Amino acid sequence: QLQLVESGGGSVQPGGSLRLSCAASRLTLRYHTIGWFRQAPGKEREGISCISSDGGSTTYGDSVKGRFTISRDNAKNTVYLRMDRLQPDDTAIYYCAKAYLLGSTCPNDQWDSWGQGTQVTVSS
């Protein structure tokens, strides 16, 4: 089963930054819309950002708008999530997934090939 791989998580102080990466070894990401999600302990999974296959369409959840930036480097087969001005409420496991329907764009509500996630902890 195809699966994406997230990396770049860690611990950071409030106000700090991290850049997450979403990669795939057996999937060419440039054909796919990719989404970032997060799930905090005791909370439902939250969709936070989406980028279309050509990068021309991006969306952000209200909780991260203006602080997070999604981008992609199709030559490196990688999608990134730059997170600035991190706050304790951003603490969660962050996941990426690809849109289920090839050719679909953002926003999107059907996802597959979920990664295992990367932990982001924001604490002083």
Side-chain angles (χ1 to χ4, degrees):
Q1 182 177 351
L2 293 174
Q3 192 173 47
L4 303 181
V5 179
E6 305 91 343
S7 62
S11 295
V12 64
Q13 293 186 339
S17 298
L18 285 172
R19 188 180 77 163
L20 306 183
S21 298
C22 174
S25 60
R26 296 190 295 139
L27 178 68
T28 303
L29 292 186
R30 69 173 178 265
Y31 300 125
H32 299 279
T33 288
I34 301 296
W36 280 101
F37 305 80
R38 68 185 181 185
Q39 188 165 21
K43 295 186 177 181
E44 292 188 354
R45 186 174 62 202
E46 174 189 11
I48 56 176
S49 190
C50 172
I51 187 167
S52 60
S53 58
D54 64 357
S57 177
T58 58
T59 59
Y60 297 92
D62 288 341
S63 61
V64 305
K65 199 172 296 183
R67 299 187 299 122
F68 290 12
T69 305
I70 194 170
S71 63
R72 65 192 304 154
D73 186 338
N74 285 337
K76 294 183 178 180
N77 208 36
T78 303
V79 173
Y80 303 100
L81 186 68
R82 170 75 181 189
M83 307 186 295
D84 295 315
R85 291 183 281 145
L86 284 162
Q87 298 301 318
D89 284 349
D90 296 316
T91 296
I93 300 174
Y94 285 70
Y95 302 88
C96 62
K98 72 167 182 69
Y100 176 72
L101 292 176
L102 188 65
S104 60
T105 186
C106 303
N108 211 300
D109 59 5
Q110 290 183 294
W111 305 94
D112 64 8
S113 301
W114 293 86
Q116 293 296 313
T118 185
Q119 176 71 48
V120 172
T121 302
V122 185
S123 173
S124 56

